[in-house]
């Protein structure tokens, strides 16, 4: 009798396991991301289109920049074709959601790897890095972050600088913008006294327009990673992307990209 009870319990556990495996909600057995990309033959890449020199739209309407080039290299490693990229525009505020819901396979968008973000997405090894800086009008009396007390400071919604500013200068009047371009227009019009974000992006404005200046101090370290859905489904994808980044670095391609886009 006791043996029969044990046998029935074991059968029940096995049946429950099989049932769970077959009918459990999708999140418990998501299809492997790498296999999906390989079968599809294209990779959906979330990219900024407002962040020169990383991601922007050229005169022909094509998406260009450091991140766009990197995406084409990654596609070459994965799908063996640099043209296998399908770009999907993202913003710092919506890119995490787009990657975690599968609207994009990966995000390459000057995205800093942070512990908070790692709770939601998985990341590649870093492919580059930046530092938080200030862009001001040339000749401005603002020379460092401490001068921002009581001043209007522009941040881009969803960025690390938006979070950092609240701690760095709690008395600053922080104004959020959807795009870098909107923040730049606000700086030019005098609605804000400074923009704070990554030096790599802000320096583009200072290079093209002498009426704005990038101040020399940096207030953070921002390692850039490629982000994708978290969990078992992206283990193979991460291995392949990390391999690609390591190889691109060894072959000096990353350095060439930095030079090509005016970063080093
Ligand atoms: N790297 C920063 C971040 O991930 C700012 C750059 C950006 O995302 O546009 O928040």
């Amino acid at each position: 009798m006791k043996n029969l009870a044990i046998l029935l319990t074991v059968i029940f556990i096995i049946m429950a396991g099989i049932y769970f495996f077959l009918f459990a909600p999708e999140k418990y057995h998501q299809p492997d991301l790498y296999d999906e990309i390989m079968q599809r033959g294209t990779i959906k890449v979330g990219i900024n289109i407002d962040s020169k020199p990383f991601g922007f739209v050229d005169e022909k309407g094509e998406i260009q920049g450091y991140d766009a080039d990197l995406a084409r290299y990654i596609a070459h490693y994965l799908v063996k074709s640099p043209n296998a990229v399908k770009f999907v525009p993202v913003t710092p505020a919506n890119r995490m959601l787009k990657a975690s819901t599968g609207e994009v396979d990966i995000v390459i968008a000057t995205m800093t790897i942070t512990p908070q973000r790692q709770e939601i997405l998985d990341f590649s090894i870093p492919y580059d890095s930046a530092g938080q800086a200030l862009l001001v009008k040339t000749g401005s009396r603002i020379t460092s972050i401490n001068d921002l007390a009581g001043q209007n400071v522009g941040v881009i919604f969803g960025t690390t600088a938006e979070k950092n500013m609240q701690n760095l200068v709690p008395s600053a009047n922080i104004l959020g913008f959807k795009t870098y371009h909107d923040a730049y227009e606000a700086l030019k019009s005098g609605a804000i006294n400074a923009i704070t974000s990554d030096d790599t992006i802000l320096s583009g404005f200072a290079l093209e327009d002498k009426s704005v200046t990038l101040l020399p101090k940096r207030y953070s370290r921002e390692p850039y990673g490629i982000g994708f859905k978290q969990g078992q489904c992206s283990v193979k994808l991460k291995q392949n992307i990390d391999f690609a980044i390591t190889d691109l670095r060894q072959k000096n391609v990353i350095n060439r990209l930095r030079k090509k886009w005016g970063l080093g």
Side-chain angles (χ1 to χ4, degrees):
M1 198 56 191
K2 199 177 155 200
N3 282 351
L4 182 66
I6 292 172
L7 183 68
L8 286 174
T9 309
V10 170
I11 290 173
F12 175 77
I13 291 170
I14 291 171
M15 296 298 282
I18 292 171
Y19 179 83
F20 184 79
F21 182 76
L22 292 176
F23 303 111
E26 206 200 325
K27 70 171 179 178
Y28 291 108
H29 53 85
Q30 292 205 12
D32 186 86
L33 255 179
Y34 176 79
D35 292 345
E36 249 190 23
I37 292 164
M38 297 305 281
Q39 272 159 25
R40 205 191 301 131
T42 56
I43 179 162
K44 294 178 283 179
V45 179
I47 192 151
N48 283 332
I49 53 166
D50 161 57
S51 301
K52 234 175 179 178
F54 290 90
F56 62 96
V57 182
D58 70 10
E59 319 77 53
K60 291 189 207 136
E62 276 165 26
I63 295 178
Q64 300 292 358
Y66 178 136
D67 281 341
D69 280 351
L70 183 60
R72 293 187 183 102
Y73 276 111
I74 298 286
H76 182 72
Y77 275 84
L78 263 56
V79 199
K80 309 286 172 265
S81 162
N83 302 321
V85 179
K86 189 178 173 298
F87 285 119
V88 179
V90 298
T91 64
N94 70 20
R95 60 193 172 190
M96 304 275 289
L97 188 70
K98 286 192 193 261
S100 54
T101 57
E103 197 177 325
V104 298
D105 299 314
I106 62 175
V107 174
I108 310 184
T110 59
M111 181 156 55
T112 304
I113 306 166
T114 70
Q116 291 97 315
R117 288 175 180 168
Q118 280 173 314
E119 281 172 20
I120 298 164
L121 294 184
D122 282 345
F123 285 87
S124 68
I125 54 170
Y127 63 90
D128 214 308
S129 74
Q132 188 184 339
L134 294 174
L135 187 75
V136 296
K137 273 197 180 167
T138 303
S140 165
R141 264 189 248 151
I142 294 163
T143 56
S144 92
I145 204 134
N146 297 327
D147 300 331
L148 292 176
Q151 303 286 311
N152 291 341
V153 187
V155 295
I156 316 305
F157 285 124
T159 59
T160 43
E162 181 189 13
K163 270 220 162 75
N164 291 348
M165 258 320 281
Q166 282 148 12
N167 300 325
L168 285 169
V169 191
S171 61
N173 183 23
I174 302 165
L175 297 162
F177 294 87
K178 248 179 156 170
T179 67
Y180 282 90
H181 197 79
D182 291 348
Y184 170 69
E185 291 297 327
L187 179 67
K188 297 277 285 181
S189 76
I192 54 174
N193 309 99
I195 306 174
T196 184
S197 191
D198 292 358
D199 52 358
T200 45
I201 302 169
L202 296 180
S203 64
F205 290 100
L207 278 176
E208 278 183 11
D209 176 359
K210 293 294 163 224
S211 77
V212 295
T213 301
L214 185 73
L215 296 180
K217 287 199 186 124
R218 300 294 174 263
Y219 303 95
S220 69
R221 230 187 81 75
E222 311 276 337
Y224 288 169
I226 297 178
F228 32 79
K229 213 184 255 184
Q230 203 176 46
Q232 190 58 33
C233 63
S234 55
V235 170
K236 240 196 292 177
L237 183 67
K238 177 173 165 55
Q239 278 167 357
N240 279 274
I241 290 179
D242 285 353
F243 173 82
I245 293 172
T246 309
D247 205 44
L248 287 169
R249 197 170 289 137
Q250 273 165 8
K251 291 182 174 144
N252 219 22
V253 175
I254 297 279
N255 269 338
R256 283 209 298 273
L257 281 184
R258 299 196 98 245
K259 284 215 180 77
K260 172 178 174 186
W261 294 108
L263 294 165

